[in-house]
Amino acid sequence: MAKLVLGCIADDFTGATDLANNLVRAGMRVVQTIGVPAGPLDADVDAVVVALKSRTIAPAEAIAQSLDALRWLQAQGAQQIYFKYCSTFDSTFTGEVRGNIGPVTEALMDALQCDFTIATPAFPDNKRTVFKGYLFAGDVLLNESGMQNHPLTPMTDPNLVRVLQAQCTRKVGLIDHAVVARGAAAIEERIAQLKAEGVSIAIVDAVSNDDLLRMGPALAKLPLLTAGSGVAIGLPANFGLAPSSQASALPKAGGKTAVVSGSCSLATNRQVLDFIQRGGAAMAIDPLRIAAGVDVAAEVLAWAAPLIDKGSVLVYSTAEAGAVKSVQGRLGVEEAGAMVERTIAAIARGLVERGVHQLVVAGGETSGACVQALGIAQMQIGPQIDPGVPWCHARSDAAPEAGLHITLKSGNFGSDDFFTKAFTVLA
Ligand code: ADP
């Protein structure tokens, strides 16, 4: 078995997939695990991304989970550790707690006896850039991007040196764009200078993929990196790996095809409409009937059984904002969400048990529920369908022989024809 070179800890599920996707495109073979695995790694890969759900939990709990992941990755021989957070640099924010990115970073540094690391959420492909330490989302500063009003993790200061310093006991500094533009040697020189000044963590500017690629070689010797998913594109080359179709190779796809969607995002609404307009077989789920005690999952599976032999089917609770609000008003936001998630997860499992071995799932929370219902513990990352959304292959007790191909599309990702196009990518 090849040696695991990069061990990654991601603070949320779809963020983990985003990172894994970037690593695969840069030439690494990658599996993503759902939480910290109980046993040793049983896949021949270059990198593992352990997906946690630590982004919005208390720092002490986020630290405990992250250290748990670190110990597992070290036991698998990981040579370098990558702590992945969101490209908007947000995490738990309550009165006295101003984020857990700093506390988790410092706990990992302590555990790794690491005296210097970087922090950059830059992801130019997704329009997140860092300049002079200030984070931009699209054309505006982070605190003008809507993130200042986020219900769980508001970001009111775009200056990442200040934001991170407020979360850390170690000194935070900056490697600015003038240095990054001069290349890896200049970055290494600046790291030495910052260390001499007592700085242990540096925000690094990056406004383009070229910046990230220049950064890559300068990071080769650091035991720990902390970043969004962008920094990943410059790392595989440090381990002698180059982009290749082999990195994304999955077992051959077979079986029937289906789409389940519990996402109500605008892009998903367009994707549902597109599938129906192309004449696809589709069935809507009504949350009020689930609440009334109807076995909607059984109904849907009976409807789907004869159809999946002929082609793809779509099962969706996707609805427009007004309809969702009205359902939430009657059932409660969390109750409605949990009920729909449970039903879609049961349908996903039922479809897989009936021979659907290529499954598209739309919705972040919905994906979590489906992965759990399918008993999936890890996924091998394959070819990209659209930015941030790769096909994966997973073992599941619902598909005991060949496993299944699954893709998890978070809300606003994917082109309008995603529900059709996805299957042609796999073919
Ligand atoms: P996204 O990635 O688009 O945010 P999620 O799956 O994360 O999608 O979140 C959508 C949430 O809305 C889920 O909890 C889901 O169960 C819930 N939901 C889906 N359809 C409806 C509906 N018609 N009415 C109310 N809630 C819904």
Side-chain angles (χ1 to χ4, degrees), residues 177-190:
H177 191 259
V179 172
V180 175
R182 280 169 37 230
I187 298 171
E188 282 182 89
E189 225 172 86
R190 175 71 178 144

Side-chain angles (χ1 to χ4, degrees), residues 262-265 268 287 317-319 323-324 327-328 336-338 340-341 362-367 409-412:
S263 160
C264 298
S265 298
T268 311
S317 66
T318 306
V324 174
V327 165
Q328 288 174 333
V340 172
E341 283 167 34
E365 294 301 321
T366 307
S367 291
K409 185 199 81 75
S410 81
N412 274 317

Side-chain angles (χ1 to χ4, degrees), residues 14 261-266 268 285-288 316-320 323-328 331-342 344 361-368 409-413:
T14 41
S261 174
S263 160
C264 298
S265 298
L266 289 175
T268 311
I285 293 173
D286 178 356
L288 296 177
Y316 65 101
S317 66
T318 306
E320 281 169 5
V324 174
K325 277 237 152 59
S326 138
V327 165
Q328 288 174 333
L331 305 178
V333 175
E334 274 173 28
E335 257 309 294
M339 217 153 42
V340 172
E341 283 167 34
R342 270 198 307 275
I344 293 185
V361 184
E365 294 301 321
T366 307
S367 291
K409 185 199 81 75
S410 81
N412 274 317
F413 283 15

Side-chain angles (χ1 to χ4, degrees), residues 90-112:
D90 58 306
S91 59
T92 307
F93 188 104
T94 57
E96 41 325 339
V97 179
R98 311 255 138 186
N100 60 31
I101 292 174
V104 170
T105 297
E106 293 201 282
L108 292 171
M109 290 180 84
D110 288 342
L112 286 160

Side-chain angles (χ1 to χ4, degrees), residues 256-263 268 271 275 312-316 344 347-348 351-352 356-363 366-367 370 374 385 389-392 404-410 413-415 417-426:
K256 301 164 192 174
T257 59
V259 182
V260 295
S261 174
S263 160
T268 311
Q271 289 154 353
F275 183 91
S312 218
V313 297
L314 163 66
V315 180
Y316 65 101
I344 293 185
I347 292 167
L351 288 170
V352 173
V356 168
H357 289 171
Q358 300 175 48
L359 180 68
V360 173
V361 184
T366 307
S367 291
C370 289
L374 288 164
I385 306 163
V389 202
W391 270 111
C392 306
L404 79 148
H405 289 76
I406 184 166
T407 183
L408 310 173
K409 185 199 81 75
S410 81
F413 283 15
S415 59
D417 60 349
F418 188 90
F419 293 164
T420 314
K421 179 172 79 179
F423 299 109
T424 61
V425 169
L426 207 51

